[in-house]
Amino acid sequence: MIKQFDTYSLLPHNTFGIEAKAAHFVEFTSVADICNFLGNGFNGKSLVVGGGSNLLFVNDFNGTVFHSAITDIEVVAETDSDILLRVGSGMNWDELVAYTVEKGWCGLENLSLIPGEVGASAVQNVGAYGVEAGDLIETVETIRIADAVVCSFTKSDCDFAYRHSIFKAAEKGRHIVTYVTYRLKKAVDFKLSYGNLKDKVEEFGGATLANVRRAVCEIREAKLPNPEQIGSAGSFFMNPVVAAHKAAKLKDEYPAMPQYPLACGDVKLSAGWLIEQCGWKQTPHKNVGVYKHQALVVVNLGGATGSDVLDFALAVVASVKEKFDVNLNMEVNVID
Ligand code: EPU
């Protein structure tokens, strides 16, 4: 089924809570429907939205916004050790995680409570607590917007890296994700080394899938705003990566600075720490600020426009550049 609307409010489709309108909005529940729609000569400006948890609308969108409502879920292969689970791109992400935990399939539990939908997990390569969606993804199926051709990308085609995939680079804006297939494990293989996750899991009685999910949910709830209550898009910026010599210089000057050496020799810094040091937890600007428990999260304090948020974010970037000579890149996709 296809649903089509004109002059459509995007308020329910962006977790920042920004009022913006799409000239056209198209929602579909099957591959055949969206293929037919695109095959009938569509050639306008387009944008694909999932849960809208990584988007900032600065203006109304003068084109067609596509939203997948494909939500079926199917085990497509099973071995003694693995499950291949093919999931519709419109399924709510956390509902998928809850489902896999309930089934006793291991892999997604550290990614509990991330807002958004399944399609975006492949585009953004969402990650938390030492796990990235790309680690579990086997294939991504899409429809190419230009010619309505069905495409399939293997894990290596997807070119996953930290908050990165081919869908944010060479193939950006060209595809609508329809299905994502995840390889999950029947035997448990917990990843508990991030922060205080292991301690939290112990507090709940030890490592089980349900306890890991519960611990991740609790940690997230304490640090990150609930998008249903406070408008935000989760981490607004990516954690910056700098050369080792630069990291060493910064550490001399700021001994408390968190630093995470990467296998390639570079060092990842914590954007939240850098932003907090610039004083932004104390200085909201108009109706935009950073979240009190996590400075990496820019929040709409009520009634902010997309431009208000963008101006604030640019001021944050400038301050971090000035104080630390470090460039922050946005994780959020700014649509204008
Ligand atoms: N920190 C501060 N002040 C802050 C925030 C953080 O000093 O306001 C320090 C913390 O004390 C810690 C370090 O920075 O030493 C790292 O903080 P945290 O563990 O909260 O993780 P993060 O690097 O800030 C990333 C992801 C989050 C993800 C967490 C946990 C990015 C851009 N963000 O945040 O992802 O939940 O790790 O894995 O990589 C998201 O993408 O929307 C998101 C929430």
Side-chain angles (χ1 to χ4, degrees), residues 58-81:
V58 175
N59 289 305
D60 287 342
F61 187 75
N62 179 24
T64 301
V65 171
F66 292 104
H67 180 245
S68 165
I70 302 177
T71 54
D72 49 299
I73 181 164
E74 185 193 358
V75 174
V76 287
E78 182 168 359
T79 65
D80 287 348
S81 58

Side-chain angles (χ1 to χ4, degrees), residues 129 162-163 194 223 235 237 239 270 273 276 281 294-295:
Y129 309 104
Y162 170 62
R163 298 297 193 273
Y194 191 98
K223 278 200 165 182
S235 300
F237 304 98
N239 284 329
S270 159
W273 189 90
E276 181 170 358
K281 279 191 178 169
Q294 170 51 291

Side-chain angles (χ1 to χ4, degrees), residues 87-141:
V87 190
S89 52
M91 182 168 191
N92 175 277
W93 176 260
D94 194 52
E95 274 174 33
L96 169 64
V97 178
Y99 176 84
T100 60
V101 166
E102 207 164 288
K103 289 282 188 186
W105 299 331
C106 185
L108 300 183
E109 57 283 355
N110 288 36
L111 304 179
S112 292
L113 222 55
I114 292 180
E117 294 172 1
V118 162
S121 75
V123 176
Q124 295 290 130
N125 188 17
V126 298
Y129 309 104
V131 175
E132 291 180 346
D135 303 339
L136 289 312
I137 288 175
E138 190 80 357
T139 48
V140 178
E141 294 164 63

Side-chain angles (χ1 to χ4, degrees), residues 53-54 114-115 126-131 162-163 194-195 220 223-224 233-239 258 260 268-277 281 291-297 331:
S53 55
N54 236 309
I114 292 180
V126 298
Y129 309 104
V131 175
Y162 170 62
R163 298 297 193 273
Y194 191 98
R220 283 188 75 93
K223 278 200 165 182
L224 298 166
S235 300
F236 197 95
F237 304 98
M238 290 192 263
N239 284 329
Y260 308 92
K268 195 188 266 189
L269 308 179
S270 159
W273 189 90
L274 298 171
I275 295 166
E276 181 170 358
Q277 297 304 307
K281 279 191 178 169
Y291 191 52
K292 57 186 173 199
H293 301 305
Q294 170 51 291
L296 188 50
V297 176
E331 185 188 339

